[in-house]
Amino acid sequence: TCVLCGLGNVSFPNASRCEPCHGAKYVDELFMSPMDCKSCDGGKRVRSDGAGCDVCGVGRYSNAERTACDPCPTGRWGRDPGLSSSDSCLACLPGTYGVQSGATSAETACALCEHGMIRQFHQAECRACDAGTYANEKRTECLPCDAGAHGKDKGRTTSACSGLCPVGKYSARYATSCTLCEVGKHNPSVGRKD
């Protein structure tokens, strides 16, 4: 006598046993052949019993084969279930960087760049602002040091950068050092720009 194959299994011609569909496919009806096996839609994975698909949970996306739900990578997070690729996961905003994979919110996925560092969308990691510049409060761009100040070091956090030019010296914006006044000129105050 022939035995009926259960949900998630099919019978190949002249087969002595029932088998699951091949190649990450499923079958959700009885009396089916291998030709009736179906693929899961994006954002889902084949159930372990082969009888259907499960929706990927929040913070996860379906891999290309639809065999597993992988966590959103570090630097990305997912707030909705059923994401179809890692690109469907939302990216950390500029000024922040990724700290956790599989996160379900920006608060758990991303952290603010350290003082004096920035990150823009196209960058993978935070970087220190160059000498002569400082990081804005949102940590999204490097701005020039004020005229009358100098930024000899990277990673500055205020417009005064490394400090104001002393008496007898001056600087322009983006300066990494202060310049001595020319012969016959003097600068009587701190922080002069000319």
Side-chain angles (χ1 to χ4, degrees):
T1 62
C2 296
V3 177
L4 179 67
C5 293
L7 284 177
N9 290 288
V10 292
S11 167
F12 290 86
N14 302 321
S16 61
R17 67 183 198 278
C18 298
E19 295 182 34
C21 292
H22 295 273
K25 295 191 176 199
Y26 73 96
V27 63
D28 56 358
E29 298 177 50
L30 297 174
F31 306 111
M32 295 289 132
S33 75
M35 303 287 286
D36 298 309
C37 292
K38 305 178 236 180
S39 297
C40 292
D41 293 332
K44 298 178 181 180
R45 67 166 179 86
V46 175
R47 288 189 349 214
S48 59
D49 65 6
C53 301
D54 287 330
V55 174
C56 294
V58 175
R60 304 181 83 75
Y61 66 95
S62 59
N63 64 8
E65 298 79 30
R66 309 291 192 252
T67 56
C69 292
D70 294 333
C72 288
T74 301
R76 293 183 163 275
W77 57 281
R79 69 174 164 218
D80 299 318
L83 300 177
S84 59
S85 72
S86 62
D87 290 339
S88 302
C89 300
L90 301 168
C92 290
L93 294 174
T96 66
Y97 66 100
V99 294
Q100 178 182 336
S101 64
T104 59
S105 70
E107 292 77 22
T108 57
C110 313
L112 193 62
C113 292
E114 292 182 31
H115 291 286
M117 300 185 86
I118 66 158
R119 190 186 77 80
Q120 297 170 330
F121 264 127
H122 64 280
Q123 296 170 321
E125 298 177 359
C126 299
R127 68 169 180 83
C129 287
D130 292 334
T133 66
Y134 71 98
N136 66 348
E137 281 188 41
K138 292 183 179 180
R139 299 171 191 166
T140 57
E141 63 180 319
C142 295
L143 302 173
C145 295
D146 287 341
H150 64 95
K152 65 179 181 173
D153 302 313
K154 287 184 168 190
R156 301 289 85 202
T157 59
T158 68
S159 63
C161 293
S162 300
L164 298 177
C165 292
V167 171
K169 293 186 175 186
Y170 69 96
S171 72
R173 291 174 44 160
Y174 291 103
T176 57
S177 63
C178 298
T179 304
L180 210 58
C181 292
E182 298 171 19
V183 174
K185 294 183 178 181
H186 74 94
N187 180 1
S189 60
V190 172
R192 293 291 299 226
K193 61 183 174 180
D194 53 13

